[in-house]
Amino acid sequence: MNTTLMLTGDICKDIIDPGLIQSEHQPLTAAQREFLWKLFVQIGNVWENVYYESSNLKSSWLEMIAAKTNVAPSYTGEYINATYVLQELIDLNGEENAYRLLFLTYKQPAGPPTTRLAHTKTFVVNEFIIMQVMASGFKHFGGKNYHGYVKGSRYSKQDLVRVYKPDPATNTDPQS
Amino acid sequence: MKNYDYIIVGSGVAGVTIAKRLLAHNPLTAILMLEAGPVIPSKDRRAWWDYITLNRTPYDYTYDKKWEAKSVGTTNWLSEGARVKAVGGSTMHWGAWSLRFKPEDFQLHTNTGEGADWPISYDDLEAYYQQAEEYLAVCGDEDEEWSPRSKPYPMPPFEWTATDGLMIKAFEEMGIKPGKMPLARYRKCFTTGTCKYCPFGSRFSAVDILTELLENKKYLNFTLRPNTPVRKINCESRDKIASIECLNNLTGEVSFEKASHYIICSGSYETPKLLMNSKNEFWKNGVGNDEDLCGRFIISHSMLKVRGRFPENKERWFQEYDFPTLMSRSYDTPERQKIGKILLFRDRVQPNQNIASLMIAGKTCDEIDAIMTGPMTIEIQAFMEEKGKHENHLRIMEGTDRFGLPLTEISFSRTEEENANAEENLDILKQVILKMGCTINPGDARIDDPGAHHTTGTCRMGKTAADGVTDENLKVHGISNLYLCSNGVFPTGSAVNPTLTLTALSIRLSDLLIQQSNLSKL
Ligand SMILES: Cc1cc2nc3c(=O)[nH]c(=O)nc-3n(C[C@H](O)[C@H](O)[C@H](O)COP(=O)(O)OP(=O)(O)OC[C@H]3O[C@@H](n4cnc5c(N)ncnc54)[C@H](O)[C@@H]3O)c2cc1C
Ligand code: SF4
């Protein structure tokens, strides 16, 4: 299996309008949601940036999906589109490779997304990555807190960020 | 036509604070609050997720567009991206840094021969600062000694971060006293760092107070009308306001509303514009504007910035809060007034690497690790005090914006001397960065354009009508029932953010109105 070239088919290449795919009042099924969850989990697998299972993040992720599908403008059309695109990528590249190629190899053409594949990257993959990093993935790269991370009450006994300790010897605490 | 006790124009922190206190005193007080902008949901989960994933807030669209507020002076004045025109006003997106002015800020002219004096002193406001800090729930350091205070802060401060430590050392070596930034955190803060759109309503926002007032069943006579710009103030005699004219943007209906007292809390752009627009047989130049002071003496803060670069970042420092925790007022002293005082603070954004953007660009984990430990930038910034000059002004431009408010023109220029003073202050910032062992690349030390964020002076208070538009009690000179309450009434801007002082003035004004209403009942 080629690991540098991503094979794409008719669905990925299909030209569509760059705006959010219209889908008001359309429901997202449980099966579609689970399919997308697998995509989310693969972010942690490819970058190896979640310490425990991504499952810890599932309730947050579900909350985002609900907010993005239940309220206008609905992302349901984008999410359903992504399931078709991903299935085609998996069929052509194999399951493990498909995600890696989509995340690391695929270079989205500049400008607004005009193919089903570009829509998936813009509205689904990129937003899932942002959510994953802020919900936990940032910790792997250092730091205790991050823009969007609900660290907890500011009166918690735990340090909320890497705090200043006047003694320089104790002021180097990148990972804890 | 209903006759209200009070009409309040504008639903920002000033208007809402006054309404809250009047209602707390007498729940049946009849108040009509008119707001040009729309209602924008606060604490809305979808809006928060869109802010996280798209970096877009639900109030972005209310900001001034370039063509709605023109800068025509020799120093560019920025209006875009600053004023939120919506229910709650600009506290929808403020940083909530809450610092008191210092005693000398009330006596700028006496001390320097430039700018103006306030008709009140720091001591007159001290007790109101205290109340404002309690109301906004300011988290500050009880050991700080920047301004005299009769009581400690109501909440403990946010601690310095480890990254602050890099700068604290340089501060100490230069004899600069490091301080903890006082921040208003109204409810329990979960340190989420998305303060431009707080998902919990923790960072104080006037819209959340307003929601509580509207939901309170005791406040039967409190009415908020959004989407309703006030266009004109009408007089029945030279010293008395008869009504105001407003437009319902949604229906197109124009109405005239009456009250015993009119309180204009429409911010430092719109307050003078509303007065200037209200020309009549008694006030040919606009209500309260016989001396042509409305819109004049406009100032804000010059923002000074110096960025330093370290070749590597072994500790992987990045900014973990979305607000600054380190500041200093060592150059915010009476001795510095002549040249322009500065508030020093460490930038709230740097050092930073946008990890998600790197992943989106297809960088592998190892590549991102290398970037995180590679070159690092850190920045020190400062607000610099400006002095009001008669020739710097805000005027009405022909036409109206999307909210039915008149367009704005601002003419702002700095003198050679002011530019040199700014450079001298910038040198202090450069020294801090060099002391940290950083390099400063060309273009990394700069003086940004001033702008709408902290606009003051445009309808300043003064002892007499020749000195200011309002008296020391914020009542427009020569008119018995018209009050102004916005940053525009400040005769000086100091080196710190304005809203704590504005809130203290709002509390003081509401106490005065309550006293008056008690007296009238005797
Ligand atoms: C990005 C940013 C960050 C800031 N951060 C800080 C900070 O950290 N600390 C600090 O102290 N300050 C900060 N400020 C300043 C702070 O936001 C203002 O001082 C404060 O919000 C002013 O409140 P206000 O009630 O006077 O006016 P506003 O909040 O401007 O409210 C006035 C309201 O009146 C309405 N209005 C105007 N004209 C009319 C009319 N004719 N009829 C009806 N309604 C009208 C407007 O739509 C608006 O909603 C910041 C400002 C900006 C832009
Ligand atoms: S840090 Fe988070 S919880 Fe605290 S005020 Fe900012 S957004 Fe709200």
Side-chain angles (χ1 to χ4, degrees):
Chain A
M1 183 70 64
N2 190 334
T3 55
T4 53
L5 181 70
M6 184 168 81
L7 301 175
T8 55
D10 291 346
I11 299 175
C12 287
K13 289 177 195 152
D14 192 24
I15 305 278
I16 55 171
D17 193 85
L20 205 66
I21 299 170
Q22 282 273 320
S23 58
E24 301 313 323
H25 311 302
Q26 202 177 333
L28 190 68
T29 66
Q32 286 158 344
R33 219 170 21 241
E34 284 312 304
F35 195 87
L36 292 167
W37 171 245
K38 273 207 270 178
L39 166 70
F40 183 82
V41 172
Q42 287 300 328
I43 296 169
N45 293 347
V46 168
W47 274 282
E48 298 180 64
N49 66 336
V50 280
Y51 286 121
Y52 307 104
E53 279 191 283
S54 292
S55 318
N56 284 327
L57 310 179
K58 191 158 186 181
S59 59
S60 282
W61 179 83
L62 283 171
E63 202 255 313
M64 178 181 81
I65 298 296
K68 293 255 181 186
T69 51
N70 295 345
V71 180
S74 170
Y75 269 53
T76 308
E78 293 296 341
Y79 291 157
I80 294 172
N81 174 65
T83 63
Y84 286 117
V85 166
L86 281 168
Q87 191 56 57
E88 186 178 70
L89 289 176
I90 290 167
D91 292 345
L92 294 172
N93 300 279
E95 176 133 29
E96 200 184 320
N97 246 353
Y99 294 109
R100 186 164 278 279
L101 288 165
L102 175 61
F103 296 155
L104 300 177
T105 307
Y106 170 59
K107 296 278 174 277
Q108 189 186 334
T114 53
T115 62
R116 288 192 180 275
L117 174 58
H119 266 253
T120 301
K121 171 80 172 133
T122 303
F123 295 108
V124 186
V125 174
N126 293 357
E127 292 196 16
F128 282 13
I129 289 175
I130 293 169
M131 190 261 156
Q132 195 258 19
V133 170
M134 78 86 183
S136 175
F138 74 90
K139 290 182 201 162
H140 171 85
F141 300 102
K144 288 175 192 271
N145 205 348
Y146 196 75
H147 187 250
Y149 182 61
V150 183
K151 176 69 186 174
S153 162
R154 66 158 299 220
Y155 298 110
S156 144
K157 289 265 182 293
Q158 270 188 335
D159 286 345
L160 300 166
V161 294
R162 291 172 290 179
V163 292
Y164 171 64
K165 306 211 170 79
D167 173 6
T170 56
N171 200 26
T172 52
D173 185 18
Q175 296 291 338
S176 59
Chain B
M1 187 192 294
K2 181 165 176 170
N3 204 338
Y4 295 91
D5 296 318
Y6 302 94
I7 286 179
I8 299 178
V9 181
S11 66
V13 59
V16 167
T17 302
I18 294 168
K20 181 177 161 72
R21 290 179 67 86
L22 292 173
L23 289 165
H25 174 71
N26 174 5
L28 293 178
T29 310
I31 301 177
L32 173 64
M33 182 175 275
L34 297 159
E35 166 56 54
V39 178
I40 291 176
S42 92
K43 297 182 273 181
D44 177 82
R45 293 303 294 178
R46 171 60 187 270
W48 185 72
W49 280 114
D50 281 350
Y51 177 49
I52 294 285
T53 52
L54 304 167
N55 195 19
R56 181 172 81 193
T57 70
Y59 50 76
D60 285 351
Y61 76 93
T62 72
Y63 290 140
D64 282 312
K65 303 280 180 212
K66 241 191 220 119
W67 58 90
E68 290 174 335
K70 274 202 180 138
S71 167
V72 298
T74 55
T75 304
N76 187 38
W77 181 278
L78 296 168
S79 292
E80 283 169 274
R83 296 192 299 154
V84 173
K85 281 171 265 175
V87 170
S90 286
T91 53
M92 290 230 47
H93 74 161
W94 73 317
W97 314 2
S98 299
L99 301 100
R100 295 180 177 203
F101 279 23
K102 296 181 69 191
E104 67 270 18
D105 293 321
F106 296 79
Q107 294 188 312
L108 181 65
H109 189 263
T110 302
N111 296 350
T112 67
E114 293 174 275
D117 284 350
W118 289 54
I120 55 172
S121 69
Y122 180 88
D123 289 345
D124 293 325
L125 218 49
E126 203 284 330
Y128 296 101
Y129 269 131
Q130 185 59 42
Q131 291 182 58
E133 283 171 348
E134 270 165 32
Y135 166 55
L136 301 175
V138 180
C139 310
D141 186 358
E142 64 178 30
D143 294 330
E144 71 155 54
E145 284 161 2
W146 308 111
S147 308
R149 49 172 50 254
S150 52
K151 280 193 194 163
Y153 280 103
M155 322 271 274
F158 282 83
E159 294 303 323
W160 289 318
T161 65
T163 327
D164 289 334
L166 305 176
M167 200 171 277
I168 289 172
K169 200 161 161 283
F171 273 11
E172 285 170 349
E173 282 172 18
M174 289 174 63
I176 298 173
K177 183 181 160 198
K180 291 175 182 158
M181 182 65 89
L183 296 156
R185 289 293 176 265
Y186 188 62
R187 294 207 177 79
K188 200 161 161 184
C189 167
F190 289 92
T191 59
T192 312
T194 54
C195 310
K196 269 187 177 281
Y197 195 79
C198 176
F200 309 112
S202 306
R203 188 228 38 202
F204 177 92
S205 175
V207 70
D208 296 331
I209 302 280
L210 205 40
T211 308
E212 287 170 13
L213 298 184
L214 291 166
E215 284 172 357
N216 192 325
K217 298 211 164 45
K218 284 190 293 184
Y219 300 155
L220 285 174
N221 299 322
F222 176 55
T223 309
L224 166 73
R225 269 192 227 157
N227 303 300
T228 309
V230 173
R231 304 200 298 193
K232 210 170 167 215
I233 302 170
N234 301 312
C235 296
E236 63 182 56
S237 60
R238 184 170 159 84
D239 68 350
K240 192 147 189 219
I241 304 304
S243 68
I244 49 139
E245 176 191 315
C246 55
L247 165 75
N248 180 326
N249 273 336
L250 304 187
T251 62
E253 206 180 305
V254 174
S255 63
F256 294 84
E257 304 294 345
K258 277 177 157 306
S260 308
H261 301 87
Y262 299 82
I263 312 167
I264 313 301
C265 303
S266 49
S268 40
Y269 275 32
E270 300 308 325
T271 303
K273 280 159 68 185
L274 184 55
L275 297 180
M276 288 189 271
N277 239 359
S278 302
K279 296 191 171 98
N280 57 41
E281 57 185 303
F282 309 107
W283 297 91
K284 300 269 182 277
N285 211 15
V287 167
N289 196 29
D290 272 3
E291 301 287 336
D292 184 26
L293 297 179
C294 287
R296 294 211 175 263
F297 305 105
I298 186 169
I299 47 168
S300 181
H301 287 131
S302 303
M303 179 94 147
L304 315 181
K305 296 179 175 173
V306 178
R307 183 171 299 177
R309 293 171 194 269
F310 285 106
E312 56 179 15
N313 180 10
K314 281 217 179 92
E315 314 297 347
R316 298 160 178 264
W317 301 129
F318 57 78
Q319 185 61 3
E320 295 179 66
Y321 283 139
D322 188 32
F323 42 83
T325 33
L326 172 65
M327 61 83 170
S328 176
R329 302 186 76 172
S330 284
Y331 290 89
D332 179 3
T333 58
E335 299 73 46
R336 305 290 301 182
Q337 267 184 308
K338 185 76 188 159
I339 154 171
K341 308 197 294 175
I342 52 174
L343 168 74
L344 291 167
F345 50 93
R346 193 171 75 73
D347 168 42
R348 70 181 173 84
V349 178
Q350 293 171 85
N352 200 8
Q353 293 294 347
N354 188 332
I355 298 167
S357 294
L358 295 170
M359 289 165 67
I360 287 168
K363 301 276 182 228
T364 63
C365 196
D366 289 347
E367 286 169 332
I368 298 173
D369 269 328
I371 292 169
M372 296 300 292
T373 51
M376 172 178 100
T377 55
I378 195 160
E379 193 162 297
I380 183 166
Q381 302 181 339
F383 291 141
M384 180 173 157
E385 170 186 31
E386 304 258 12
K387 295 177 185 108
K389 298 200 294 287
H390 188 264
E391 61 273 24
N392 285 343
H393 61 256
L394 171 151
R395 278 198 189 129
I396 294 170
M397 222 168 47
E398 200 161 323
T400 49
D401 69 6
R402 299 154 287 154
F403 304 97
L405 299 172
L407 301 181
T408 313
E409 179 189 271
I410 287 161
S411 175
F412 185 81
S413 304
R414 287 201 189 109
T415 61
E416 284 301 310
E417 189 189 349
E418 285 167 334
N419 285 330
N421 288 343
E423 289 292 342
E424 194 178 325
N425 274 322
L426 195 66
D427 278 343
I428 298 168
L429 278 69
K430 286 186 200 161
Q431 284 170 37
V432 173
I433 291 292
L434 293 174
K435 188 64 88 185
M436 289 171 68
C438 298
T439 52
I440 303 173
N441 284 357
D444 280 353
R446 57 181 212 273
I447 300 163
D448 276 2
D449 295 331
H453 303 70
H454 296 168
T455 306
T456 52
T458 51
C459 45
R460 68 190 200 181
M461 52 168 117
K463 278 203 173 103
T464 66
D467 303 324
V469 182
T470 79
D471 66 13
E472 71 271 25
N473 292 326
L474 306 187
K475 190 177 76 57
V476 173
H477 280 293
I479 303 180
S480 60
N481 61 346
L482 179 62
Y483 297 83
L484 312 182
C485 194
S486 81
N487 297 333
V489 302
F490 295 11
T492 63
S494 85
V496 304
N497 317 54
T499 311
L500 183 71
T501 302
L502 173 63
T503 309
L505 285 175
S506 310
I507 294 175
R508 184 169 173 268
L509 174 57
S510 49
D511 278 5
L512 190 105
L513 295 169
I514 290 166
Q515 262 172 30
Q516 280 179 2
S517 79
N518 288 345
L519 284 176
S520 67
K521 280 185 207 133
L522 291 178

